[in-house]
Amino acid sequence: MQVNLHEPWHIGPVQIPSRLVLAPMAGVSVQAFRRQGRRFGAGLVCSEMVSCAGLHHGNERTLGYLRIASDERPLAVQIFGSEPAVMAEAARMVEDAGADIVDINFGCPVKKVTKTGAGATLLEDGDRARRIVGAVSSAVDVPVSVKMRRGLENGSRQCLELGPRLVDAGAASLTLHPRSAKQMYTGQADHSLTAELVSLVDVPVVASGDIDSRSRAEAVLATTGAAAVMVGRAAQGNPWALREILDGDADEPSREEVVAELILFIRETVRELGEHRATGFLKKFYSWYLGRGRFPRAFKAELTQLPTIADVEARLFEAAPGARFVLARLEEELPQGDDVLLDLPISIYGGG
């Protein structure tokens, strides 16, 4: 079966221009990451998890997750929580912020989320999960999607029982990461479950888990009948993976390209988070971008020890002087102006 990854598809009325979705990842999926993903061909990008309780209480940092730029759309903003009414309120805020899709997290396995009754815990509480989806879909006019795992325990098939119920409650799309919450990210994603879920529902299903190459993406789409694939860890500090999956372009980027993309990402993140928050946040990205044999390990470690962002930029330019010209071209091609659709306190952005 021939699969065209550039073929558009829909979630409700929202047209998505490619069959590649950039995953929502906590501590990763900031606006800079999403905008970069769209430039490299992701048809849909997703925010990291947003706490509905944080939105309900007007927490400034949580509200900052609702900063949306026009060039990252179509965009899904993902919310998590356990109370239907509070989730519905959060969904309305997400819609007002300009999101194209409200995504509900029923898959996060992290204890600080599951202990509140949210995330993957809801896979075992089908009635509550159904009430949440019903409340959210009734509260907004944009489509509602749900991301889930196979179940809490290894070997669980709970997703197959729950999935159709969520569609009946109003979900316009489902994303399945067919690992258990107990597995976290170990072992392999069992996409035979994805194929079964596709056969049970009449809405698009997105296949998530172990999508790290064009051949893998094509195989999963062909064998499951899923509408799209979701890429997560493979794209961390490596947007070129998206290009390889979409177009088969396996050429390694030059050192100049890598440094230019990293510095652009640094500048966009500082603008979004402010320099103080961004300084610590960015450190994990240095090894992600500069790894894979692109730069020596000692160089990556050196960057994490530098005291300021300006020092990091200067050291990167010293290592790849030609990156200045690549960066100038990238910045020139970026849309001018940032279409912030939600009026939030400027302190969230560090003055940006």
Side-chain angles (χ1 to χ4, degrees):
M1 176 181 173
Q2 190 65 33
V3 176
N4 180 4
L5 285 155
H6 285 278
E7 184 180 8
W9 58 293
H10 289 80
I11 295 179
V14 178
Q15 178 170 296
I16 300 167
S18 78
R19 305 239 164 203
L20 186 58
V21 180
L22 189 60
M25 291 178 282
V28 176
S29 299
V30 291
Q31 188 182 78
F33 183 78
R34 304 191 304 257
R35 295 175 81 179
Q36 183 186 65
R38 288 287 291 124
R39 283 193 293 113
F40 277 81
L44 177 67
V45 296
C46 308
S47 76
E48 59 185 295
M49 295 188 306
V50 181
S51 165
C52 68
L55 293 179
H56 174 74
H57 293 295
N59 178 275
E60 278 200 3
R61 183 170 291 192
T62 307
L63 286 169
Y65 292 131
L66 300 189
R67 186 183 193 191
I68 295 171
S70 58
D71 64 327
E72 62 183 305
R73 301 176 69 180
L75 167 73
V77 171
Q78 186 180 84
I79 59 175
F80 74 95
S82 59
E83 295 299 327
V86 181
M87 289 284 277
E89 176 192 21
R92 284 189 289 269
M93 296 178 70
V94 166
E95 181 180 39
D96 289 344
D100 301 284
I101 296 164
V102 176
D103 188 60
I104 301 174
N105 183 297
F106 288 167
C108 181
V110 177
K111 189 172 181 180
K112 70 178 181 180
V113 172
T114 58
K115 72 180 182 181
T116 68
T121 301
L122 287 159
L123 296 168
E124 301 294 331
D125 191 349
D127 289 340
R128 181 181 289 271
R130 196 174 189 278
R131 290 199 305 274
I132 287 172
V133 171
V136 169
S137 60
S138 296
V140 296
D141 293 325
V142 297
V144 173
S145 59
V146 178
K147 187 172 190 286
M148 58 184 179
R149 286 188 171 232
R150 67 181 298 163
L152 291 180
E153 300 296 327
N154 294 343
S156 172
R157 293 170 58 84
Q158 189 63 25
C159 61
L160 302 180
E161 188 277 329
L162 183 60
R165 297 182 66 193
L166 300 181
V167 172
D168 288 343
S173 177
L174 302 173
T175 297
L176 178 61
H177 182 162
R179 283 184 172 90
S180 68
K182 191 173 186 178
Q183 275 182 279
M184 300 289 285
Y185 296 98
T186 62
Q188 291 186 322
D190 180 3
H191 283 293
S192 67
L193 280 177
T194 309
E196 288 189 68
L197 182 62
V198 169
S199 72
L200 293 174
V201 298
D202 59 0
V203 299
V205 173
V206 178
S208 174
D210 301 341
I211 309 297
D212 56 9
S213 68
R214 182 176 178 83
S215 60
R216 182 61 177 157
E218 290 180 329
V220 168
L221 287 174
T223 58
T224 65
V229 290
M230 178 173 280
V231 177
R233 288 172 292 163
Q236 290 177 344
N238 191 30
W240 300 275
L242 303 178
R243 189 169 63 193
E244 190 276 328
I245 290 170
L246 275 173
D247 299 317
D249 181 358
D251 292 343
E252 267 292 304
S254 68
R255 287 165 66 98
E256 290 75 18
E257 286 179 283
V258 171
V259 167
E261 284 290 348
L262 174 54
I263 292 177
L264 180 61
F265 183 84
I266 288 170
R267 291 179 178 180
E268 290 280 288
T269 302
V270 169
R271 180 183 58 81
E272 180 181 356
L273 302 182
E275 183 156 353
H276 177 71
R277 280 182 61 198
T279 299
F281 174 85
L282 285 164
K283 288 184 178 181
K284 58 180 174 284
F285 286 90
Y286 301 155
S287 61
W288 288 343
Y289 274 90
L290 305 175
R292 302 174 177 86
R294 294 168 181 164
F295 285 81
R297 182 174 298 179
F299 178 68
K300 295 178 286 183
E302 177 189 344
L303 293 184
T304 65
Q305 301 304 310
L306 295 175
T308 70
I309 295 292
D311 292 329
V312 171
E313 280 201 21
R315 186 67 183 91
L316 285 167
F317 281 133
E318 182 182 326
R324 292 184 185 275
F325 304 103
V326 181
L327 178 62
R329 175 178 55 79
L330 291 175
E331 292 186 321
E332 187 176 312
E333 292 171 354
L334 286 177
Q336 296 303 305
D338 188 15
D339 187 12
V340 179
L341 301 178
L342 185 66
D343 185 19
L344 296 174
I346 199 167
S347 60
I348 292 172
Y349 314 128

